[in-house]
Amino acid sequence: MDTHRESYSMDEIIAFAKEKGFVFQSSDIYGGLAGAYDFGPQGVELLNKLKKSWWQEVVYRKKNYYGLDSAMFKHPKVWEASGHVSGFSDPMAECRECNTRIRVDKELEKVGVSADEKISEAEINELFAAHRDKIHCPKCKGNDFTEAKAFNLLVRSNLGDFTSQNSNPVYLPGEACQGIYLNYKNVLDSVHPKIPFGIAQIGKAFRNEISPRNFLFRTREFEQADIQYFVKPGENTEAFEKIKEERMAWYKKIGLREENLRFKQHENLVFYASDAWDIEYNFPSYGFDEVEGIHDRTDYDLTQHQKFSGVDLSYNDNGEKYIPYIIETSMGLGRVFLALLSSAYERETFEGGDERRVLRLKPSLAPITAAIFPLTKKDGLPEIADDIFAELSSHFHVSYSESGSVGKRYRKADEVGTPFCITVDYDTKDDKKVTVRHRDSMQQERVAIDELVDYITRHLKD
Ligand code: ATP
């Protein structure tokens, strides 16, 4: 058997994602809306299972982590305190020949100069001037550019505004984590955690990206899974190292291959940060790029919110008062979803030329855990299969199909990554057993109907 692992392009994976109901362009029937995507019947299952795996890791498996789900809309002052109103921007320059806009930090990166997009306009212009001769316009190939200017990425809403000025807009969240800082005191006062402790949240973020591109990789609406870990100043470096390793271990646990993962340290740090690393994944066609940022943000966020709100946000550590340092991890769910899809996708050719597409997702992440097939539509087999569906569906997400040959039904299940196919045949009537066929090995075994739940549960364990 031959697998074509090296030859898959991102275009093939994007087409597959649409064809099989994983991801659709938003507002497809109107020609699409740039930078927004919808998750289809298979996609929503994978996305939910990805979230569940993360939540289990960072909330349930820890004694000192707490979950949160904060409102998307926040007081306008939040985004002033966070620095987003004045400084949440991408540095853009315009080609003087053809007016194409480039993102200067990304172009610098391509020529080997690392520039965090959050450094000041003056700093990025210094780097841009020093390396300008190496940067060319992607459209006309010229290299006569304007200076880099900061374009704010925050998306405004008119929530609660009934005037025509909208002078004090409520913004959509530019990042999900602000809700955690805002609720740090509420969590302290309600569940009384002792430092160090973490708060985890999954939330939507919106950014006016100038050029959304690369499918789910750079969108204007996306979801982030964030941890903010509150530590005593001085204990941040050790905590940072531990969290970095834990996060990398989780990516391997969800099935991404080690050789496609790496750390990258930021060189030009934003002024308040003491350390920052990215976890990068090696995407087909795009190469290595960021899926998660891990930042030592010192006491910046809580100090800012204390200043702007006038509320004391210090922690009382047995009489010693201080503003905790924060280690942040922020993962883009769309990017990790795309990493999973592209790493699991395979096209196999068997001897004789027969082909199958198979999604080798970890069984616990597969959109459908088991597919149930009666061999035929008659002789009482659908009734037995129905009973099995009723029993299994209260434990797992299962599907049911009675049309087409069993071979064709297997292929369809393989394509969406279903790890177990359960066939009810004529022997089932006598021995009360079914054939369980495994997605990856394609091997089959007979399993008693009343052992199916235990059998599948055993195979889903990490
Ligand atoms: P980039 O440098 O790629 O713009 P970033 O450093 O601005 O990313 P963060 O603000 O640290 O990203 O956000 C944390 C995570 O959110 C990123 O690691 C990424 O996975 C995800 N993310 C950020 N921007 C986008 C986007 N436009 N589309 C999809 N995911 C995003």
Side-chain angles (χ1 to χ4, degrees):
M1 186 180 63
D2 186 19
T3 61
H4 309 276
R5 173 131 291 284
E6 301 310 321
S7 62
Y8 312 128
S9 66
M10 192 53 100
D11 283 348
E12 178 169 344
I13 296 194
I14 294 170
F16 169 82
K18 180 172 185 189
E19 180 197 330
K20 291 282 128 194
F22 282 88
V23 182
F24 308 125
Q25 175 79 53
S26 165
S27 321
D28 227 354
I29 59 168
Y30 287 95
L33 178 73
Y37 288 91
D38 301 335
F39 291 87
Q42 309 298 348
V44 66
E45 297 298 331
L46 175 55
L47 186 66
N48 283 343
K49 284 178 176 171
L50 179 60
K51 289 180 192 174
K52 189 175 156 208
S53 163
W54 182 83
W55 195 262
Q56 200 138 20
E57 191 72 16
V58 304
V59 181
Y60 297 162
R61 289 212 171 95
K62 306 276 194 202
K63 295 194 184 103
N64 57 342
Y65 278 62
Y66 305 86
L68 184 76
D69 189 33
S70 64
M72 209 149 30
F73 292 112
K74 296 168 175 68
H75 195 288
K77 267 196 174 176
V78 170
W79 303 105
E80 281 176 42
S82 69
H84 284 76
V85 172
S86 58
F88 187 47
S89 52
D90 280 342
M92 308 293 296
E94 202 168 294
C95 169
R96 289 205 170 92
E97 295 291 322
C98 70
N99 303 109
T100 297
R101 284 186 174 162
I102 58 162
R103 223 183 108 173
V104 176
D105 59 320
K106 294 291 167 198
E107 294 302 322
L108 282 167
E109 241 170 53
K110 284 187 203 158
V111 298
V113 181
S114 176
D116 194 296
E117 75 275 22
K118 294 178 190 79
I119 64 175
S120 72
E121 216 171 77
E123 282 169 312
I124 199 122
N125 270 312
E126 248 174 60
L127 289 170
F128 191 30
H131 300 277
R132 196 176 281 223
D133 55 328
K134 289 178 243 158
I135 296 175
H136 294 276
C137 170
K139 196 165 167 204
C140 72
K141 308 296 171 214
N143 82 333
D144 185 10
F145 294 103
T146 61
E147 292 235 302
K149 272 192 75 172
F151 274 81
N152 197 289
L153 298 170
L154 277 182
V155 179
R156 288 162 170 244
S157 80
N158 67 346
L159 186 88
D161 179 67
F162 303 100
T163 69
S164 53
Q165 285 92 20
N166 199 9
S167 54
N168 199 18
V170 174
Y171 295 97
L172 269 70
E175 58 183 18
C177 61
Q178 291 298 325
I180 301 184
Y181 309 139
L182 301 182
N183 283 288
Y184 148 84
K185 188 169 158 35
N186 287 333
V187 173
L188 270 188
D189 294 345
S190 56
V191 296
H192 311 292
K194 294 272 172 286
I195 253 177
F197 68 92
I199 302 180
Q201 172 174 250
I202 294 174
K204 286 240 171 174
F206 300 83
R207 296 184 185 176
N208 234 338
E209 298 276 359
I210 303 269
S211 48
R213 64 185 177 282
N214 291 354
F215 193 41
L216 298 177
F217 189 84
R218 187 167 304 286
T219 52
R220 290 186 174 139
E221 173 183 345
F222 54 96
E223 244 180 331
Q224 293 178 315
D226 290 342
I227 306 167
Q228 308 291 320
Y229 192 64
F230 300 84
V231 296
K232 186 172 180 176
E235 293 176 4
N236 47 314
T237 308
E238 200 180 319
F240 189 85
E241 284 313 311
K242 186 162 174 278
I243 288 175
K244 230 176 98 201
E245 295 312 319
E246 284 175 356
R247 292 303 306 134
M248 183 59 100
W250 179 79
Y251 283 96
K252 293 176 194 160
K253 193 165 156 186
I254 60 170
L256 298 179
R257 276 187 290 279
E258 194 161 354
E259 68 269 23
N260 287 329
L261 289 161
R262 72 179 186 198
F263 282 119
K264 186 176 166 206
Q265 189 170 22
H266 289 213
E267 283 169 27
N268 298 299
L269 288 175
V270 56
F271 71 92
Y272 52 79
S274 83
D275 201 2
W277 292 70
D278 292 338
I279 293 180
E280 295 190 329
Y281 182 75
N282 188 13
F283 291 93
S285 306
Y286 309 158
F288 274 102
D289 217 328
E290 171 179 348
V291 290
E292 171 162 341
I294 305 171
H295 311 126
D296 183 339
R297 300 180 60 88
T298 66
D299 60 2
Y300 177 76
D301 307 284
L302 291 180
T303 304
Q304 285 294 100
H305 285 303
Q306 175 167 283
K307 199 164 107 193
F308 278 71
S309 67
V311 174
D312 180 3
L313 295 179
S314 58
Y315 177 83
N316 187 339
D317 198 346
N318 295 316
E320 187 192 349
K321 280 182 88 180
Y322 54 80
I323 299 274
Y325 272 27
I326 290 179
I327 313 295
E328 166 186 78
T329 72
S330 184
M331 163 174 86
L333 278 159
R335 292 188 187 180
V336 179
F337 179 102
L338 187 56
L340 276 175
L341 206 60
S342 29
S343 83
Y345 178 84
E346 256 176 50
R347 228 178 324 111
E348 290 178 349
T349 311
F350 303 102
E351 272 172 41
D354 199 12
E355 268 209 6
R356 75 162 176 166
R357 291 185 301 181
V358 55
L359 212 50
R360 294 188 190 277
L361 288 167
K362 194 174 164 165
S364 57
L365 292 175
I368 297 166
T369 303
I372 301 159
F373 309 146
L375 185 65
T376 66
K377 289 183 192 166
K378 51 184 201 294
D379 302 327
L381 301 188
E383 287 75 7
I384 301 174
D386 269 346
D387 288 346
I388 294 174
F389 181 91
E391 170 63 12
L392 294 191
S393 61
S394 59
H395 299 269
F396 319 104
H397 184 220
V398 291
S399 67
Y400 179 93
S401 162
E402 47 181 45
S403 50
S405 70
V406 169
K408 284 213 175 98
R409 285 183 259 172
Y410 282 161
R411 290 288 182 268
K412 279 192 179 163
D414 291 343
E415 285 185 324
V416 296
T418 306
F420 311 104
C421 290
I422 295 167
T423 305
V424 174
D425 57 23
Y426 286 98
D427 290 339
T428 306
K429 288 178 144 186
D430 301 324
D431 65 5
K432 310 280 179 261
K433 287 181 175 175
V434 287
T435 302
V436 177
R437 180 261 197 188
H438 293 255
R439 176 194 71 199
D440 294 342
S441 64
M442 293 182 285
Q443 283 185 343
Q444 306 187 359
E445 56 185 315
R446 296 290 286 179
V447 177
I449 291 172
D450 58 11
E451 284 172 14
L452 274 174
V453 171
D454 282 351
Y455 178 91
I456 294 173
T457 306
R458 256 196 333 273
H459 281 81
L460 290 181
K461 283 251 162 69
D462 281 339

